[in-house]
């Protein structure tokens, strides 16, 4: 496979003690170490080490029966289109029980910065205009959740609670943020409100 000097795909896959497949000098969207979740992250970066096989690796990884959920951020770059393609495929997999399409404002800013440095124009200022909502809603009914948030910690709490609510991860140990919530039950930093706009779209505050 020929190399390209304009793009790089960065994927974070966590299965047991699996390490990152690639490294980046820019800290991307936070992916936590869990046994049953995969987070697919894209950043554009001027780098001759671009390897399109990473997309194929992700497609293979989400077919693993141990993987139960998938998280994909939207960012207004070409990465959004690729992420939506992966999410659409994941809708057809019986092992994937929940797919979170995450509108993370902080990540969007980072992706835009990387695209600018790489000389790649943003596709749109409104990432949601690129998402095939109806396609994902039809294929991923009861699986897909479109989540919008400004605070990553509050989103992680929602994400963990949602997985437990649907008995996808009922008996897993508490992660660090969940544990802090048990220690500080009245601390607003560890509380959130989930406003469901529709059956599959939620705003985390």
């Amino acid at each position: 496979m020929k190399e390209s000097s304009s793009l790089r795909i960065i994927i974070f896959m966590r299965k047991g003690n699996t390490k990152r497949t690639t490294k980046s000098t820019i800290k991307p969207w936070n992916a936590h170490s869990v046994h049953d979740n995969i987070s697919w992250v894209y950043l554009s970066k001027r780098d001759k080490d671009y390897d399109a096989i990473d997309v194929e690796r992700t497609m293979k990884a989400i077919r693993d029966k141990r993987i139960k959920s998938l998280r994909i951020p939207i960012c207004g770059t070409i990465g959004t289109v690729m992420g939506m393609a992966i999410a659409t495929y994941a809708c057809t997999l019986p092992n994937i029980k929940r797919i979170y399409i995450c509108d993370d404002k902080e990540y969007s800013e980072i992706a835009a910065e990387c695209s600018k440095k790489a000389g790649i124009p943003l596709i749109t200022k409104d990432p949601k205009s690129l998402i095939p909502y109806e396609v994902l809603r039809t294929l991923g009914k009861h699986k897909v959740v479109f989540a919008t948030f400004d605070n990553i910690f509050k989103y992680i709490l929602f994400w963990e609670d949602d997985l437990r609510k649907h008995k996808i991860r009922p008996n897993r140990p508490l992660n660090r943020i969940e544990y802090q919530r048990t220690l500080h039950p009245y601390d607003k930093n560890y509380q959130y409100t989930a406003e469901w706009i529709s059956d599959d779209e939620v705003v985390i505050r």
Side-chain angles (χ1 to χ4, degrees), residues 19 25 28 34 81 101 117 119 121 172 196 199:
K19 296 183 178 179
T25 56
V34 295
V81 179
I101 310 299
K117 289 182 178 179
R172 285 195 53 78
W196 288 91
D199 290 341

Side-chain angles (χ1 to χ4, degrees), residues 3-20:
E3 294 181 337
S4 168
S5 61
S6 60
L7 298 177
R8 185 172 186 174
I9 294 174
I10 300 176
I11 299 173
F12 291 93
M13 293 182 289
R14 293 288 190 261
K15 293 191 297 179
N17 294 323
T18 302
K19 296 183 178 179
R20 294 180 181 180

Side-chain angles (χ1 to χ4, degrees), residues 64-83:
D64 189 318
K65 292 181 179 180
R66 293 171 295 179
I67 302 301
K68 304 299 181 184
S69 63
L70 171 68
R71 290 183 289 169
I72 296 179
I74 60 177
C75 52
T77 70
I78 192 173
T80 296
V81 179
M82 291 187 285

Side-chain angles (χ1 to χ4, degrees), residues 107-160:
Y107 175 79
S108 296
E109 292 177 1
I110 294 173
E113 178 185 347
C114 291
S115 291
K116 184 177 180 180
K117 289 182 178 179
I120 302 169
L122 292 179
I123 295 176
T124 177
K125 292 183 179 180
D126 181 14
K128 289 185 177 181
S129 67
L130 293 174
I131 298 177
Y133 272 75
E134 298 309 316
V135 172
L136 287 176
R137 280 177 170 149
T138 300
L139 292 178
K141 191 173 183 180
H142 306 307
K143 280 188 178 184
V144 174
V145 174
F146 299 95
T148 301
F149 56 92
D150 293 321
N151 185 302
I152 186 67
F153 287 169
K154 291 184 178 182
Y155 165 68
I156 291 171
L157 288 171
F158 161 79
W159 170 64
E160 291 283 355

Side-chain angles (χ1 to χ4, degrees), residues 59 62 70 72 81-93 99 101 132 135-136 139-140 144:
M59 303 292 271
I62 60 178
L70 171 68
I72 296 179
V81 179
M82 291 187 285
M84 292 306 99
I86 293 172
T88 302
Y89 174 65
C91 286
T92 68
L93 301 176
I99 301 170
I101 310 299
V135 172
L136 287 176
L139 292 178
V144 174

